[in-house]
Amino acid sequence: MEEEEKEVNSLAGIFDIRQFALNLLKLWWLFLLCIGIAFGYAYYKNQFIQTIYNASSLISIKDNSNPLFTSNTSLTFNWGGTTDKVTTAIVQFKSRTHAEQVVDELQYYTNYIKEGDYYNTDAYKQTPFFVYADTNKAQLYGRYFRIKVLDQERFELSTNFPNATAGGYHYGEKRSQSLKVPQGNWKQQFKFGDSIQLPFLNALIEKRGANIATGGEWLFNFGNYWGTVNRYKNIAIRPAPEGSSILLLSLSGGNKQRLIDYINTSSVILERGELERKNKFAVSTINYIDSSLVLQEKALQKSEQDLEDFKDKSQVLDALTQNSDFNKRLSEFEILERGIQNKLNYYDNLKSYLKNKTDYTVIQAPSVVGIEEGSISGAVSRLIALSEERKKREFAMRPDAPVFREIDRDINAIKEVIYENIKSSNSLLNRELNRLYAQINEVEAQIKKLPKEQQEFLRIQRQFDLDKNAYNVYMSRKAEAELIKAANVSDVYVIDEAKDTGGGGTRRDSNINYLIALLVGLAIPIALAFVLTILDNFVHTPKDIEKLSPIPVIGVVGKMNHPTNLIVKDKPKSTIAESFRGIRSSLHFIYNQESLYGSRTIMVTSSVSGEGKTFASINLASVFALSGKRTLLIGLDLRKPKIFDDFGVDNDLGVSNFLVNDCSLKDIVRPTGIEHLDIVLSGPVPPNPSELIMSKRAGEMIEQFKKDYDYIILDTPPLGLVADALEIAKYADATLYLVRQGYTKKGMLDVVNEKYKRGEIKNLSFVFNYFNDRGKYGYGYGYGYGYGYGAYGNGYHEDEKNAGVMIRIKKIIKGIIKPR
């Protein structure tokens, strides 16, 4: 239990909670000031709180395969599983490339501003006009244009140019450039719908609606392109529910319609991009067929013309009927030969392409040349899918990402499979081609037996049939590819598009700012009070003395405004006088009780000057004298004498004169005007006060005075500054050590504690001086030391009358701002 009390006392010595509370009370004005400033700032900030809107959309990512064809027989193929599609879609939505496409399409780098009292708001789709920037030319960057609607047809643009050049930005080429501008204020009128072609502005401004309100003014400018793109990259997107192929897209911002347009356009662009990638195989095939059809059509026209010309010049129509069997058989063989050659050429081209190219997304379908082998078609489809997947991931991942190494391994493995299939197919096709050559040679040998004119006719007829057949095959393949393209659907499907359903936005609770303001307003004074308490090294209450020293407190003397130190004489019924009477009574308990009679010597000292030694000495001597005791007050502070001022006498003769044998004891004793009280002044300041105090003559002086007086009060120098007081202490029966509230530092008590511990001073007690408790420390004068009636003695004392309210307020303010 004792250890716990010691620990509490130790903590109390480190941080005084009561002192902390009192510091808080003293800083009441700072509380009001800080809270007032904080609440004012909170009110100002609340004016800038904007409404935040949220827009969202639901889309589905599915594996929408073409229902008319399979991956082995058509121009479509499987792009990967649904899980991979969802992951890829999320990455695409948050990618820079995708954000660029949406920002470009919506021209979100154009900012529409409505001026407000406290802040400007985003007026996208709230203005009666829309600005369409010409992306092929540079625009003035960052500077606002003010647009004023004059009437239904005209508007006025104005701005200010501080210099002859200004910054511009080319949104098509994504680069900055310098523009020449007319220096100073610029203003010009235009018509809605007219193209504006200026060195610093190239745009079309159109009305939104048939009738618009006139006289309104708005601002618009062309802002930071990449800043806008990066802002929309932060679109929130997540599966809903978790793990499903349904994605929830959401955005928050200050303009609801801008959010809605971005989300919906973002979905459209992704849907369109997915369909374009899905149709890429068919589109490249159609393009290849179209280029082949051009050549084949020319060949067909030529062979048809050759046949007509030959018929006009020759009379071999009967021979045509007679030898049609030869021609039919040879045409069939040559069509087969051409088909085989096309396949061989496709394989050669495919092999060369795979070895020399890295982008495999534009390979033509094997079915274009009649290759129906499932292994070849499937391998090419997988190769294109992997290549497309690699391209999609390139804008979202680092080039050294592990996924690229895995995709490249799969691509190389499929290429090896294709090489093996090509080698095997070439071997089979070459054998079939050799067999066809033998059959063709056999029929040609029979044809050669016919007349030359018939042979020529059959050759022309056969060429015409071959060209016509090839043309029909290409047309058939093109129709198939276009049918597949038309039947393809995107893997992205919008379930719920973003829409303004009339719901309001959300505003951050303005009360939060006031709460924060209150906390900050309270925290600053509290922190200051805490710092002041930690740094406060002064003694403030008798309790502080009890914590810092084992020496007892014999009395507490309050604070009283009086022109002199003679308070006991002038106001004998005051609380101050009662305090000294209490000290007088308490001194009887600490004297040496060997004799009930004889003179008593009381030394009054302190740590430093200014703690009230002279004040205490004079008034203590006064209470002894007023009680009928012969009392002598001796000023032994030879360095800084003070007593003479209060009694209105000159300090021309005193202790210093006696100690140097310039006069007798009778010469230095002077009356005070108070019955039974005499004084001995310090006298002129000597050059060697310590030596004089230590002299034998000083002891003889005190011993002689003891014979003539009942009480001798010694006003000595500060114990903490000079050694004189220790020399005088051996003549004293009791020592009073003055501690002044808010003036004496706690560390000063260490000196007297050490001397008390070593026994250098006997019968030592503390007197707590200049104590002011009202509204500050909570101690009444009835503290328990037996020195009077205390705060409850109203009516028995002659204290000062209560001052007026204004005077008391002035005193409080003065006490706050006055340094210690």
Side-chain angles (χ1 to χ4, degrees):
M1 191 69 180
E2 292 180 357
E3 292 180 357
E4 291 180 358
E5 290 180 356
K6 289 181 179 179
E7 185 177 353
V8 171
N9 290 334
S10 177
L11 291 174
I14 296 173
F15 185 80
D16 191 337
I17 298 177
R18 182 178 286 106
Q19 180 63 27
F20 173 67
L22 295 174
N23 283 334
L24 289 178
L25 292 177
K26 285 182 63 178
L27 293 173
W28 62 267
W29 59 273
L30 185 59
F31 276 98
L32 296 180
L33 179 64
C34 290
I35 291 176
I37 293 175
F39 270 84
Y41 182 73
Y43 174 79
Y44 173 76
K45 291 292 292 182
N46 284 341
Q47 306 311 309
F48 291 88
I49 297 178
Q50 301 186 39
T51 302
I52 301 300
Y53 298 95
N54 183 272
S56 60
S57 172
L58 279 177
I59 66 170
S60 171
I61 307 296
K62 291 295 182 68
D63 221 350
N64 292 319
S65 300
N66 194 315
L68 303 179
F69 302 92
T70 65
S71 61
N72 292 334
T73 61
S74 71
L75 305 177
T76 62
F77 45 85
N78 187 3
W79 292 87
T82 302
T83 301
D84 180 71
K85 287 177 180 290
V86 172
T87 303
T88 303
I90 293 175
V91 172
Q92 282 184 278
F93 271 120
K94 299 178 75 66
S95 68
R96 175 184 53 79
T97 302
H98 183 78
E100 280 185 62
Q101 293 174 344
V102 183
V103 169
D104 285 337
E105 183 154 328
L106 295 173
Q107 292 195 354
Y108 266 13
Y109 42 79
T110 305
N111 302 309
Y112 302 87
I113 305 298
K114 180 63 176 177
E115 294 177 296
D117 294 333
Y118 294 96
Y119 56 88
N120 296 335
T121 57
D122 183 358
Y124 174 78
K125 283 197 173 180
Q126 297 173 5
T127 60
F129 60 87
F130 204 90
V131 180
Y132 298 94
D134 185 353
T135 57
N136 294 319
K137 297 180 181 179
Q139 311 291 346
L140 181 66
Y141 174 76
R143 188 169 296 279
Y144 283 106
F145 289 97
R146 182 176 295 276
I147 181 169
K148 181 178 181 180
V149 178
L150 301 177
D151 52 41
Q152 298 298 317
E153 300 296 331
R154 296 176 304 117
F155 62 91
E156 181 183 83
L157 282 180
S158 61
T159 189
N160 177 267
F161 298 104
N163 302 307
T165 59
Y169 195 83
H170 197 297
Y171 291 95
E173 299 176 0
K174 310 297 187 294
R175 61 179 176 84
S176 301
Q177 66 182 72
S178 180
L179 302 176
K180 291 184 178 181
V181 297
Q183 190 170 1
N185 292 324
W186 174 85
K187 184 185 298 183
Q188 190 170 341
Q189 294 183 9
F190 300 91
K191 287 186 176 182
F192 286 109
D194 287 351
S195 178
I196 301 174
Q197 301 293 330
L198 298 172
F200 52 88
L201 176 62
N202 297 275
L204 183 70
I205 300 181
E206 292 187 346
K207 293 192 300 182
R208 294 182 66 245
N211 295 309
I212 60 176
T214 60
E217 292 189 15
W218 288 267
L219 300 175
F220 76 89
N221 74 346
F222 299 103
N224 189 326
Y225 178 81
W226 295 114
T228 304
V229 169
N230 290 331
R231 184 166 65 251
Y232 284 104
K233 279 173 57 180
N234 296 324
I235 183 173
I237 177 169
R238 61 180 178 83
E242 191 69 31
S244 70
S245 61
I246 297 176
L247 300 180
L248 174 65
L249 283 66
S250 61
L251 269 178
S252 297
N255 186 288
K256 184 190 296 186
Q257 194 57 51
R258 188 181 286 273
L259 305 175
I260 291 172
D261 286 356
Y262 183 88
I263 292 177
N264 290 336
T265 305
S266 183
S267 301
V268 169
I269 287 178
L270 184 66
E271 181 180 5
R272 187 169 63 204
E274 285 297 315
L275 188 57
E276 287 176 357
R277 280 187 286 272
K278 203 168 189 180
N279 286 332
K280 195 170 187 179
F281 200 20
V283 170
S284 62
T285 299
I286 292 172
N287 292 336
Y288 171 77
I289 293 175
D290 285 340
S291 62
S292 299
L293 274 173
V294 173
L295 298 175
Q296 193 59 48
E297 186 176 9
K298 290 181 180 179
L300 178 59
Q301 291 174 353
K302 183 178 182 304
S303 61
E304 185 178 14
Q305 187 62 44
D306 291 343
L307 182 59
E308 292 297 330
D309 292 344
F310 187 85
K311 288 180 179 181
D312 291 340
K313 294 186 295 182
S314 176
Q315 301 294 328
V316 292
L317 293 179
D318 293 338
L320 175 61
T321 304
Q322 296 172 1
N323 299 290
S324 59
D325 185 57
F326 289 129
N327 209 34
K328 182 179 180 181
R329 289 173 58 198
L330 189 59
S331 295
E332 290 175 354
F333 291 150
E334 288 181 345
I335 289 172
L336 291 175
E337 178 198 2
R338 180 173 291 187
I340 294 173
Q341 287 291 355
N342 286 339
K343 292 179 182 180
L344 291 172
N345 291 336
Y346 178 84
Y347 286 141
D348 290 341
N349 293 334
L350 178 60
K351 186 175 181 180
S352 175
Y353 189 92
L354 294 179
K355 288 182 178 180
N356 300 320
K357 304 290 183 179
T358 56
D359 183 10
Y360 308 125
T361 60
V362 294
I363 298 176
Q364 288 79 31
S367 58
V368 172
V369 294
I371 297 175
E372 305 296 343
E373 296 180 37
S375 57
I376 292 291
S377 298
V380 171
S381 297
R382 291 194 297 274
L383 181 65
I384 295 175
L386 287 171
S387 181
E388 183 65 31
E389 181 181 356
R390 196 185 198 287
K391 287 182 66 177
K392 286 192 294 183
R393 293 181 183 272
E394 282 176 354
F395 58 75
M397 298 183 180
R398 294 190 334 227
D400 58 347
V403 67
F404 290 126
R405 292 195 294 270
E406 183 178 349
I407 292 175
D408 289 340
R409 283 196 300 269
D410 293 341
I411 288 176
N412 290 332
I414 292 175
K415 285 168 63 176
E416 291 300 324
V417 171
I418 292 176
Y419 291 151
E420 290 297 324
N421 287 332
I422 289 176
K423 183 178 180 181
S424 175
S425 297
N426 280 341
S427 176
L428 293 174
L429 290 174
N430 283 323
R431 285 200 297 270
E432 186 176 353
L433 189 60
N434 291 331
R435 182 178 59 80
L436 276 175
Y437 283 153
Q439 293 176 336
I440 290 172
N441 290 335
E442 181 181 346
V443 175
E444 284 181 344
Q446 295 178 4
I447 292 176
K448 286 180 180 181
K449 296 177 183 180
L450 297 175
K452 293 293 184 181
E453 191 174 14
Q454 291 185 13
Q455 291 183 37
E456 180 65 16
F457 177 78
L458 291 176
R459 184 190 66 76
I460 295 173
Q461 179 69 45
R462 192 167 62 253
Q463 184 64 42
F464 173 75
D465 292 339
L466 290 175
D467 291 338
K468 185 176 181 180
N469 179 267
Y471 181 80
N472 291 335
V473 170
Y474 279 124
M475 290 298 293
S476 175
R477 299 299 184 189
K478 181 180 179 180
E480 179 184 349
E482 289 179 341
L483 180 60
I484 292 172
K485 179 183 175 183
N488 276 337
V489 291
S490 175
D491 293 334
V492 178
Y493 171 70
V494 178
I495 300 175
D496 272 339
E497 67 176 9
K499 183 178 292 186
D500 184 1
T501 58
T506 59
R507 280 174 57 93
R508 185 167 60 86
D509 188 1
S510 60
N511 291 329
I512 293 178
N513 282 341
Y514 289 118
L515 178 59
I516 294 174
L518 177 62
L519 295 178
V520 172
L522 293 175
I524 293 176
I526 290 174
L528 180 59
F530 181 81
V531 172
L532 291 177
T533 304
I534 292 294
L535 299 180
D536 187 2
N537 193 32
F538 294 92
V539 178
H540 291 285
T541 67
K543 286 289 185 181
D544 293 340
I545 301 176
E546 292 178 357
K547 297 173 186 175
L548 297 170
S549 176
I551 301 171
V553 178
I554 197 173
V556 177
V557 179
K559 174 184 176 182
M560 185 174 183
N561 293 323
H562 197 69
T564 69
N565 287 328
L566 301 174
I567 294 179
V568 171
K569 174 192 173 186
D570 297 340
K571 293 182 177 291
K573 293 184 179 181
S574 67
T575 55
I576 302 296
E578 290 298 329
S579 298
F580 281 104
R581 291 189 185 97
I583 295 173
R584 180 189 63 188
S585 301
S586 299
L587 282 171
H588 290 293
F589 295 99
I590 62 174
Y591 290 139
N592 188 346
Q593 299 295 320
E594 293 179 358
S595 176
L596 297 176
Y597 304 98
S599 178
R600 299 284 186 259
T601 304
I602 302 170
M603 184 179 80
V604 180
T605 187
S606 67
S607 299
V608 293
S609 178
E611 292 174 306
K613 298 183 303 299
T614 301
F615 167 76
S617 300
I618 292 174
N619 286 285
L620 186 61
S622 298
V623 296
F624 278 116
L626 291 175
S627 65
K629 302 293 183 181
R630 291 175 300 156
T631 306
L632 177 66
L633 173 61
I634 304 177
L636 290 180
D637 189 351
L638 303 185
R639 289 177 172 80
K640 197 174 181 181
K642 293 181 180 179
I643 297 176
F644 62 92
D645 284 338
D646 295 289
F647 291 100
V649 296
D650 294 330
N651 189 35
D652 54 350
L653 189 67
V655 174
S656 60
N657 300 96
F658 176 78
L659 294 181
V660 296
N661 205 15
D662 278 349
C663 61
S664 65
L665 285 179
K666 292 182 180 180
D667 295 332
I668 62 176
V669 177
R670 301 185 186 188
T672 62
I674 300 175
E675 189 178 4
H676 305 305
L677 177 61
D678 295 330
I679 61 171
V680 175
L681 302 179
S682 300
V685 178
N688 56 343
S690 295
E691 287 74 9
L692 293 179
I693 293 296
M694 295 172 61
S695 66
K696 181 179 179 182
R697 193 172 175 80
E700 293 174 352
M701 177 186 69
I702 294 175
E703 290 298 327
Q704 184 61 40
F705 282 142
K706 284 185 176 182
K707 296 177 182 179
D708 301 326
Y709 293 95
D710 298 321
Y711 287 94
I712 300 174
I713 310 301
L714 307 177
D715 181 24
T716 66
L719 181 65
L721 297 181
V722 295
D724 299 5
L726 283 178
E727 295 298 327
I728 300 172
K730 60 187 178 184
Y731 305 113
D733 297 308
T735 300
L736 300 181
Y737 197 95
L738 270 292
V739 176
R740 179 174 173 178
Q741 180 186 40
Y743 187 88
T744 304
K745 293 185 176 180
K746 296 177 181 178
M748 295 177 179
L749 301 186
D750 294 338
V751 176
V752 68
N753 287 340
E754 185 64 25
K755 297 183 183 302
Y756 178 76
K757 182 179 179 181
R758 293 200 300 260
E760 297 180 15
I761 303 177
K762 60 183 179 178
N763 295 330
L764 179 62
S765 301
F766 283 120
V767 173
F768 193 64
N769 188 30
Y770 212 71
F771 182 65
N772 181 19
D773 70 326
R774 295 184 181 177
K776 187 179 285 189
Y777 295 100
Y779 293 99
Y781 292 129
Y783 190 80
Y785 293 99
Y787 52 83
Y789 296 100
Y792 303 101
N794 296 330
Y796 293 93
H797 303 145
E798 294 178 344
D799 288 337
E800 293 177 299
K801 295 181 180 179
N802 290 334
V805 175
M806 292 303 298
I807 296 177
R808 293 174 64 187
I809 293 175
K810 289 181 180 179
K811 287 183 177 181
I812 292 174
I813 296 175
K814 184 178 179 181
I816 292 173
I817 63 176
K818 183 180 179 180
R820 288 175 177 172

